[in-house]
Amino acid sequence: MDSTSVRGVRIASFLLLVFISAAGTLAASDETAPARDPKQAVDEAYTAKIQKYTTAPYFTSPLVNYLPASKTVPTPETVLGDVAGAPGVLPYAEDVYKYMRLLEKASPRVKVFSIGTTEEGREMIAVAISSPENLKNLEENRARLTKLADPRTIKLDDAEADKLVAQAVPVYYITGTIHSPETGAPTALMELAYRLSVDESPYIREIRDGMITLITPVVEVDGRDRMVDIYKWHLAHPKDFYPPLIYWGKYVAHDNNRDAMGVTLKLTENVLNTYVKWKAQVLHDLHESVPYLYDNTVGDGPYNAWVDPILTDEWQMIGSRNVADMTKFGMPGVFTHGDFDTWSPGYLMFIAAMHNGISRLYETFGNGGADTQERTLDPEEYARTWWRQNPPLPKVLWSQRDNNNYEQTGLLTSLHYFNENKRLFLKNFYLKAKRSVAKPSAEGPAAYVLPADESRPSLQAELLHVLQKQAVEISRAKAGFTVALPVKKEKPKKDGKDKKDTKEAEKDKKPEPTSRDFPAGSYIVRMDQPYARIADALLDHQYWSPDDPQKTPYDDTGWTFGELFGVQVARVTDLKVLDVAMERVTEIHAPGGVKGDGAVFAINNAAEPALATLRYKLKDANVEAAEEPFESGGKKFNRGSFIIRNANRADLDRAATEVGLQAVAVGAAPSVKTHAIRAARVAFVHTWLSTQTEGWWRLALDDLKIPYDYISTQAIAKIDDLNAKYDVILFPPVGFFSSPTAIINGMPTAWGNPLPWKNTPETPNLAGKNDSTDDMRPGLGWDGFAKLQTFVQKGGVLLTATDTSRFATEIGLVTGVSAQTSERMKIVGSVVGTRLVDGASPIAYGYEEKVPAYCDNGPIFSLSSISGARGRRRLGNESRSRPTGRGTADEPDFTVGRPGVEAPEEPTSETWEAPPVTDEQRRNGFRVIPPADRARVIFRYADQKDLLISGLVAGGNEIAQHPAVVDVPSGKGHVVLFSINPVYRGETRGTYSMVLNTILNFDSLDAGRKLAEK
Ligand SMILES: [Zn+2]
């Protein structure tokens, strides 16, 4: 080795050292600093107002503490009359759109797209901001993204994907104000759009040139306009209390952000379509609640089981970086870990998580309007924790501008970080799609099959429609096929089961089948497709362990769509299913119409909601329900099947085709007992306390075209004769503030001012076509209660569910049923098993022995035949053992000195039944409810071991076997009580017919009833 080479080595290692240390700082200095361009003029007047409305120097950042000036592009002030986030300024959606379209006119960097309308007909938009070149090449870029989104188009070729990744411009989709009282996003997004199109600082220019920012500034447009009405009313009446925002959209309030599974609301459908059409990489939804910015992208466990771990890594990367960037700006109260779990895929942002993108959500701090207010926090909100090292302050003066500063700063740093790493994120976008396509062989299943011999074809079609809305591909088998079933492992039996359990287990013990046949025409949801993930998440079962460290699930824990729709869905792991001859289908419609010859038509009742639709469509037809099953023309008909006599065949054919029901013409009506099915006149009652939970019921009835009058509890007292107007009164769950006393009393009226909810020149959007009132505060009142009672006594049917059932039992509308709450039981929005108890009841028509249902902690019903007595609750086994004495365990004791006396056999009863009336109770038994007046249990909860179908069930023994649906006779009428919620979030269509059966059979609910002897 000569000296030169020695020196050479030394030089090389010296250079290496230099390189390493330079790389260490390069990572930071390589990224453009968040600072304005000193060469670009500032809009001094606008900037001065930004500073004026920001309440503390640390509530802003170098990204938003100024506004760049433009000679051609108008600032938000043009429309708002002040700067974004100014006190007292809250624009209607229309004004926000007006501004976005002014931007589009003034700048080649902005394009506005209409993305659909709301239930009330208002427009929704998406605003794209990028370089003129990117906007010019939108279609070319979309083609690239589409290939990455569907790797099958490039034969899963990574090299080809890399080329596309290098060329593609990513799309970052931001959505604002889905929650109407969370008011800050629209102005923040107006100003953000301005900055992105005007600012020449390198930091912003990189975002603009490197990616497409897509913005839907107002998601809940109907609710936004109501909220602005209320805010303006508040400004005009500053000393008064203002009405709480009881309606947001037409149907639901806060739950509009729980619709990303069922896709029943227009806003979900429009955002989903936009997200999928643009092949966006991120969906970032803006909310307001906790101080000051909770980027709940990281959140807490449990994470949804169906998301790709690549995504959960992206959450960590983006979330942590977001906190770091804002912390460096000195902005307090920014954090990303917190109590939000991502288990449920129902949130709007989760459209991205389930379609190979990145879901994100901000909670910033809002004042619910544009007033600047002093805000005091709870100790846990300002505590310094390991995940919130720079917590919010205990007490601050807070303005909408502060909120806008946080929203914009968070978004700009996010956009910049995303752009810096866009090749990584685009590659991940491709990889997630590729891994979806590889799902059948990677982790399975291979497919879900919905068999062609489904007994509820119209519900099957509805489930498939949901999947289609989710952009899932559906195929149909051209021939019958067989798949191998996975071998189930035997579980060791636990001791301590009672006799009944063992007996049932013995009965169920058939040899496990090893294969399953499916007929031609069966629907196949292949899992080797890019959007397999959402199909899997909706159709699979969920299990939330009672021992999970997360003790407060953020939302529902179970939702399995096949179970809740009451249709067969087979999870198939056998890869051979993918080789079955099949074709893609786009039009899915349940077969319907009239078959056969004859003047009488029969339609099977399989608990399909379409039956009710058909009844109302054929308003003048003579429709009857069979009270017993029958056979006709070789076809079996269930109890409750329709027998239609005087219908025009062509009319019936058209109507049955539309709703997807098969009518069979028969020579003569079957010789079974029948009763008339009349189109009941329905009143639908809501409170002024909360309307969301009933909103899901309204949505379902509207979809099914079941007519009803929508009236408030206040209106009940004002109707002279309820029976003259209505046959059935539906009183669906209230939700918040739903105690029985609150339903009677309403909101406090002893102080304060009236809270009007109506359309006036001052509040033109408030009521829309929903209900209105001069004062929201009064409730049902005792007059209204008396009216309801009289309605039932005179023969009306009142249907209640969950909290309104509790109301009916506690306030005394029914006798012999009590409803209790449990502190220990935890059934948090789960799918549970119910069992048919009385199949002869019309409420049960079309249902089988086992019916899955949605339950959220009860109430727990118990029956008693003694008026005023609380029903018995059975907690576990109650087998009584003999007292201490002589003999063996099953021998009698003796009494010394007299002959033994055999104790009378104790009458037994099931948990869902009322305990038998004893001889002692019958002595002067004025409290004994006569058999004809006793409650009739239609469905009960399953035994404890069968209770959990999907989700979380802890302490389920408290509700196991208790009644789930009860029909209580009262006078000449009935009160029907539900412990389950049969109509919920568009997900529970399998149990809709329990409600619809009640409506259709309103005057024959006693059909098939067997009375107790005494
Ligand atoms: Zn929110």
Side-chain angles (χ1 to χ4, degrees):
M1 211 183 271
D2 67 27
S3 62
T4 321
S5 63
V6 170
R7 209 171 57 221
V9 169
R10 279 196 187 140
I11 291 167
S13 39
F14 173 70
L15 281 176
L16 191 70
L17 270 175
V18 169
F19 180 73
I20 289 170
S21 58
T25 52
L26 255 181
S29 63
D30 191 28
E31 287 185 21
T32 311
R36 73 172 201 89
D37 174 13
K39 280 173 282 176
Q40 188 176 19
V42 161
D43 186 326
E44 298 291 350
Y46 196 107
T47 302
K49 282 184 187 162
I50 291 178
Q51 269 145 25
K52 184 177 158 199
Y53 301 145
T54 300
T55 61
Y58 39 78
F59 291 152
T60 187
S61 73
L63 288 171
V64 298
N65 64 5
Y66 72 96
L67 195 81
S70 168
K71 290 202 173 84
T72 50
V73 181
T75 71
E77 199 165 10
T78 319
V79 166
L80 298 175
D82 205 331
V83 307
V89 178
L90 215 56
Y92 286 111
E94 201 180 88
D95 299 325
V96 180
Y97 297 175
K98 189 171 150 196
Y99 177 66
M100 294 300 193
R101 288 188 161 118
L102 284 177
L103 270 187
E104 182 185 35
K105 238 186 204 164
S107 169
R109 295 162 173 174
V110 181
K111 267 191 167 175
V112 178
F113 299 85
S114 202
I115 61 166
T117 52
T118 66
E119 280 79 6
E120 295 181 352
R122 292 182 179 86
E123 186 190 18
M124 287 178 71
I125 65 165
V127 184
I129 307 155
S130 195
S131 69
E133 199 198 342
N134 288 341
L135 290 182
K136 204 173 70 205
N137 298 329
L138 273 185
E139 289 314 315
E140 210 179 309
N141 189 57
R142 196 196 311 275
R144 286 193 194 103
L145 293 176
T146 302
K147 284 183 188 165
L148 291 174
D150 187 353
R152 295 172 303 182
T153 57
I154 53 168
K155 303 192 170 60
L156 314 185
D157 181 347
D158 291 353
E160 181 63 28
D162 285 339
K163 276 188 228 157
L164 292 162
V165 163
Q167 296 164 340
V169 179
V171 180
Y172 195 111
Y173 189 13
I174 303 164
T175 48
T177 199
I178 183 175
H179 283 166
S180 306
E182 302 164 13
T183 49
T187 48
L189 293 173
M190 287 163 79
E191 195 175 282
L192 184 82
Y194 176 85
R195 291 179 188 284
L196 287 174
S197 56
V198 164
D199 200 319
E200 294 301 339
S201 75
Y203 192 86
I204 304 293
R205 232 173 35 222
E206 283 169 16
I207 298 171
R208 183 164 62 232
D209 295 342
M211 57 198 288
I212 297 164
T213 306
L214 192 64
I215 298 173
T216 291
V218 183
V219 172
E220 175 57 276
V221 190
D222 300 332
R224 172 68 180 188
D225 287 358
R226 291 198 169 92
M227 183 64 205
V228 176
D229 272 7
I230 283 188
Y231 184 65
K232 293 202 162 159
W233 190 90
H234 154 69
L235 290 180
H237 309 261
K239 285 182 184 153
D240 285 347
F241 296 116
Y242 49 90
L245 194 69
I246 187 155
Y247 294 92
W248 299 12
K250 179 167 175 61
Y251 294 112
V252 292
H254 191 268
D255 259 15
N256 60 8
N257 195 31
R258 300 295 184 275
D259 186 47
M261 288 194 266
V263 199
T264 52
L265 302 174
K266 293 278 194 189
L267 61 86
T268 319
E269 200 176 346
N270 294 339
V271 169
L272 198 162
N273 287 343
T274 306
Y275 181 82
V276 168
K277 188 178 151 202
W278 282 78
K279 309 293 171 205
Q281 280 64 55
V282 184
L283 180 55
H284 192 151
D285 197 26
L286 300 179
H287 290 253
E288 288 161 34
S289 60
V290 295
Y292 300 122
L293 191 152
Y294 173 24
D295 172 5
N296 76 10
T297 300
V298 173
D300 200 355
Y303 278 3
N304 178 283
W306 294 267
V307 297
D308 194 313
I310 292 177
L311 169 62
T312 63
D313 291 340
E314 289 173 324
W315 285 342
Q316 308 286 344
M317 288 169 69
I318 291 181
S320 305
R321 178 57 189 257
N322 202 177
V323 175
D325 279 346
M326 295 182 73
T327 301
K328 285 177 199 169
F329 290 143
M331 300 175 89
V334 179
F335 58 102
T336 181
H337 176 79
D339 59 4
F340 173 77
D341 66 67
T342 70
W343 179 247
S344 160
Y347 315 104
L348 188 80
M349 61 152 174
F350 236 67
I351 288 169
M354 291 283 114
H355 293 82
N356 303 326
I358 301 171
S359 53
R360 298 197 67 194
L361 192 151
Y362 278 173
E363 298 283 3
T364 57
F365 199 37
N367 287 347
D371 291 0
T372 301
Q373 288 175 329
E374 192 144 270
R375 300 289 301 273
T376 310
L377 304 189
D378 289 339
E380 69 264 25
E381 285 179 311
Y382 59 75
R384 188 184 63 78
T385 62
W386 66 263
W387 42 269
R388 193 175 51 204
Q389 290 288 345
N390 183 0
L393 292 91
K395 193 166 188 172
V396 286
L397 185 68
W398 189 256
S399 68
Q400 170 130 298
R401 181 65 216 185
D402 296 333
N403 181 34
N404 278 195
N405 288 342
Y406 270 78
E407 285 172 315
Q408 288 190 68
T409 302
L411 288 169
L412 285 169
T413 54
S414 291
L415 290 167
H416 194 264
Y417 174 69
F418 188 85
N419 185 56
E420 284 284 326
N421 298 280
K422 66 182 162 193
R423 303 297 161 214
L424 169 74
F425 289 123
L426 280 166
K427 184 68 186 282
N428 283 355
F429 180 66
Y430 161 76
L431 284 175
K432 284 181 280 184
K434 185 184 166 194
R435 282 154 64 105
S436 286
V437 174
K439 186 176 179 54
S441 47
E443 79 265 17
Y448 285 90
V449 178
L450 285 76
D453 55 4
E454 170 61 50
S455 61
R456 302 188 168 99
S458 67
L459 278 168
Q460 182 188 62
E462 283 187 43
L463 176 49
L464 291 167
H465 290 158
V466 174
L467 294 176
Q468 285 186 312
K469 281 185 178 176
Q470 295 277 8
V472 173
E473 297 166 2
I474 317 271
S475 305
R476 210 163 181 197
K478 290 179 178 172
F481 61 97
T482 304
V483 299
L485 295 177
V487 183
K488 271 189 192 164
K489 278 191 201 141
E490 277 279 325
K491 267 197 199 160
K493 285 263 178 325
K494 278 188 206 156
D495 290 342
K497 292 259 153 101
D498 60 24
K499 264 186 198 162
K500 212 171 147 199
D501 280 357
T502 337
K503 241 201 225 155
E504 257 186 39
E506 288 293 315
K507 210 172 65 189
D508 291 346
K509 220 180 180 181
K510 282 174 255 163
E512 290 282 346
T514 56
S515 69
R516 182 165 173 187
D517 299 329
F518 293 100
S522 292
Y523 290 102
I524 300 174
V525 185
R526 302 177 65 104
M527 287 290 109
D528 58 349
Q529 58 171 305
Y531 298 146
R533 228 176 285 286
I534 179 64
D536 196 22
L538 294 181
L539 300 176
D540 206 352
H541 284 83
Q542 292 78 44
Y543 180 75
W544 183 303
S545 166
D547 299 324
D548 194 281
Q550 178 65 267
K551 293 303 170 200
T552 50
Y554 201 83
D555 204 70
D556 287 347
T557 57
W559 50 81
T560 314
F561 270 46
E563 303 280 4
L564 289 179
F565 275 60
V567 299
Q568 301 178 61
V569 174
R571 185 178 191 268
V572 176
T573 51
D574 184 354
L575 289 167
K576 280 201 207 102
V577 69
L578 300 174
D579 300 330
V580 169
M582 64 179 96
E583 55 189 354
R584 277 277 301 280
V585 285
T586 48
E587 291 290 312
I588 294 170
H589 195 79
V594 181
K595 268 191 201 160
D597 296 308
V600 179
F601 307 96
I603 302 177
N604 186 38
N605 189 338
E608 291 171 278
L611 266 180
T613 308
L614 185 76
R615 176 65 195 98
Y616 281 92
K617 265 180 185 283
L618 303 172
K619 235 179 163 329
D620 302 320
N622 175 350
V623 182
E624 293 185 359
E627 293 188 2
E628 291 301 328
F630 64 90
E631 267 191 65
S632 184
K635 198 175 174 329
K636 283 184 179 161
F637 291 86
N638 297 328
R639 275 202 191 95
S641 292
F642 279 12
I643 296 158
I644 305 172
R645 273 174 231 267
N646 65 339
N648 173 295
R649 185 179 173 120
D651 290 348
L652 177 61
D653 188 59
R654 196 179 322 112
T657 305
E658 263 174 52
V659 302
L661 287 174
Q662 197 72 69
V664 182
V666 291
S671 54
V672 290
K673 199 173 171 211
T674 62
H675 62 252
I677 295 287
R678 281 182 266 273
R681 302 161 303 161
V682 178
F684 186 118
V685 178
H686 72 91
T687 64
W688 288 104
L689 301 165
S690 168
T691 63
Q692 167 167 286
T693 315
E694 56 91 352
W696 292 117
W697 288 54
R698 253 185 302 134
L699 177 58
L701 292 188
D702 287 353
D703 275 353
L704 290 165
K705 301 187 172 68
I706 311 290
Y708 57 87
D709 282 356
Y710 186 53
I711 61 175
S712 77
T713 45
Q714 292 176 0
I716 299 241
K718 293 175 194 142
I719 298 172
D720 279 341
D721 184 354
L722 283 169
N723 301 78
K725 287 187 84 168
Y726 304 113
D727 304 307
V728 177
I729 294 179
L730 299 181
F731 195 3
V734 172
F736 300 107
F737 311 110
S738 62
S739 74
T741 44
I743 290 172
I744 294 283
N745 294 332
M747 293 181 255
T749 51
W751 57 83
N753 50 279
L755 301 172
W757 187 274
K758 55 183 184 178
N759 296 330
T760 64
E762 220 174 9
T763 54
N765 307 286
L766 202 51
K769 284 177 185 162
N770 284 335
D771 204 1
S772 56
T773 179
D774 291 330
D775 188 1
M776 293 167 67
R777 297 176 304 162
L780 177 66
W782 293 107
D783 289 351
F785 171 78
K787 286 276 169 67
L788 272 186
Q789 204 167 31
T790 308
F791 170 75
V792 174
Q793 294 299 312
K794 283 171 66 184
V797 173
L798 173 67
L799 187 151
T800 61
T802 66
D803 53 23
T804 54
S805 290
R806 190 193 311 283
F807 164 79
T809 57
E810 289 187 11
I811 221 88
L813 279 168
V814 297
T815 310
V817 183
S818 59
Q820 284 141 56
T821 338
S822 165
E823 296 297 323
R824 286 167 300 162
M825 179 178 78
K826 268 169 99 176
I827 301 182
V828 185
S830 306
V831 186
V832 301
T834 72
R835 296 289 179 267
L836 181 63
V837 174
D838 193 338
S841 162
I843 297 168
Y845 282 166
Y847 284 101
E848 284 136 22
E849 197 64 31
K850 299 178 177 180
V851 183
Y854 173 87
C855 172
D856 191 31
N857 253 11
I860 303 166
F861 292 152
S862 301
L863 265 51
S864 172
S865 297
I866 309 300
S867 177
R870 285 211 134 187
R872 177 187 52 172
R873 273 176 70 186
R874 195 176 279 174
L875 304 171
N877 296 328
E878 264 187 16
S879 55
R880 275 190 216 150
S881 55
R882 54 154 290 191
T884 308
R886 72 146 288 278
T888 61
D890 49 9
E891 282 180 334
D893 195 11
F894 59 43
T895 304
V896 175
R898 69 164 166 80
V901 178
E902 195 85 36
E905 187 100 350
E906 258 189 75
T908 57
S909 65
E910 303 286 359
T911 306
W912 58 91
E913 295 171 334
V917 181
T918 64
D919 291 343
E920 289 298 303
Q921 286 166 335
R922 260 193 289 272
R923 294 174 60 224
N924 190 23
F926 62 90
R927 285 189 187 279
V928 178
I929 304 170
D933 293 328
R934 288 182 199 164
R936 180 183 189 187
V937 178
I938 318 300
F939 293 93
R940 65 166 174 94
Y941 286 101
D943 298 355
Q944 191 184 346
K945 68 179 174 51
D946 299 321
L947 200 55
L948 171 67
I949 293 178
S950 267
L952 167 64
V953 173
N957 58 319
E958 292 195 52
I959 204 167
Q961 298 192 335
H962 280 264
V965 182
V966 188
D967 171 13
V968 193
S970 186
K972 287 181 184 154
H974 293 256
V975 180
V976 180
L977 309 167
F978 284 79
S979 164
I980 58 168
N981 186 348
V983 186
Y984 187 66
R985 292 182 176 172
E987 297 170 12
T988 62
R989 296 177 206 212
T991 46
Y992 284 7
S993 287
M994 296 181 186
V995 174
L996 300 170
N997 279 340
T998 306
I999 294 175
L1000 292 178
N1001 297 277
F1002 72 95
D1003 52 355
S1004 303
L1005 287 182
D1006 279 332
R1009 184 160 186 218
K1010 286 194 185 72
L1011 299 183
E1013 283 168 31
K1014 324 188 235 189

